[in-house]
């Protein structure tokens, strides 16, 4: 009754044609909670990835290293989300059509220091940052200076988007609207940056 269409249906897309979209995910989503993703040996990590990617494993490893040059630990190759991220990109691609309202895509890559960094950038980790509620979630965010600084930047982006349909503000690098061709994505971390 209240939601007569799925977001991907043509009728829903037409209704939302002039409504800007802000969509994204976290870098590791549920990865940190799978004990198999805590691998410390690169050969074992590669063997695990071969079960998923077969003869594309080396290409996957190279793509991860290129996209995330800070990748150093075997677990870093295993934790990257392949479910939620794909859905966010699919939704952005459907919305980012000529003449429609703009789409802004983000990826939350900040790693929580709590429990020796075990949580990384898990599912919903960005929410205390979006709503600038770091103090209310210190058990997950650690409550450090970097967390507060990022929360300020992120919450101002969401406020700007709610007010104007554009998340840009002086505290962030220029965040271009996403298209399937440019792949523009804001990576939220201690140093925010846009990547394609």
């Amino acid at each position: 009754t209240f939601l007569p269409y799925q977001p991907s249906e043509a009728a829903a897309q037409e209704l939302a044609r002039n409504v800007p979209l802000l969509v994204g995910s976290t870098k590791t989503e549920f990865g940190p909670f799978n004990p198999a993703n805590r691998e410390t040996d690169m050969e074992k990590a590669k063997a695990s990835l071969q079960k998923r990617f077969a003869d594309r494993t080396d290409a996957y490893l190279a793509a991860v290293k290129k996209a995330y040059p800070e990748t150093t630990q075997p677990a870093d190759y295993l934790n990257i989300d392949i479910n939620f991220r794909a859905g966010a990109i699919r939704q952005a691609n459907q919305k980012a059509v000529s003449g429609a309202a703009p789409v802004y895509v983000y990826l939350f890559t900040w790693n929580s220091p709590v429990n020796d960094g075990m949580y990384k950038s898990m599912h919903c980790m960005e929410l205390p940052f979006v709503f600038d509620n770091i103090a209310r979630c210190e058990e997950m965010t650690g409550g450090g200076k970097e967390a507060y600084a990022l929360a300020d930047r992120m919450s101002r982006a969401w406020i700007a988007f709610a007010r104007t349909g554009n998340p840009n503000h002086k505290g962030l690098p220029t965040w271009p609207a996403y298209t399937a061709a440019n792949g523009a994505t804001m990576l939220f971390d201690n140093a925010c940056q846009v990547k394609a």
Side-chain angles (χ1 to χ4, degrees), residues 1-39:
T1 302
F2 296 105
L3 299 172
Y5 310 111
Q6 290 296 318
S8 61
E9 289 183 56
Q13 290 177 20
E14 187 55 37
L15 279 172
R17 184 174 184 79
N18 298 317
V19 179
L21 175 67
L22 176 60
V23 63
S25 61
T26 65
K27 181 181 175 187
T28 59
E29 292 291 350
F30 292 125
F33 298 104
N34 183 346
N37 288 348
R38 296 187 193 141
E39 189 56 66

Side-chain angles (χ1 to χ4, degrees), residues 22 103-106 153 157 160 166-178 182-188 191-196:
L22 176 60
V103 177
Y104 296 92
V105 175
Y106 74 89
R153 289 190 296 275
N166 185 324
N168 280 286
H169 64 82
K170 291 181 182 177
L172 286 176
T174 300
W175 187 352
Y178 174 93
N182 74 13
T185 301
M186 178 65 74
L187 273 60
F188 282 106
C192 298
Q193 60 181 311
V194 173
K195 286 193 174 182

Side-chain angles (χ1 to χ4, degrees), residues 9 26 32 83 87 109 118 125:
E9 289 183 56
T26 65
N83 295 319
T109 61
M118 180 183 85
M125 182 63 79

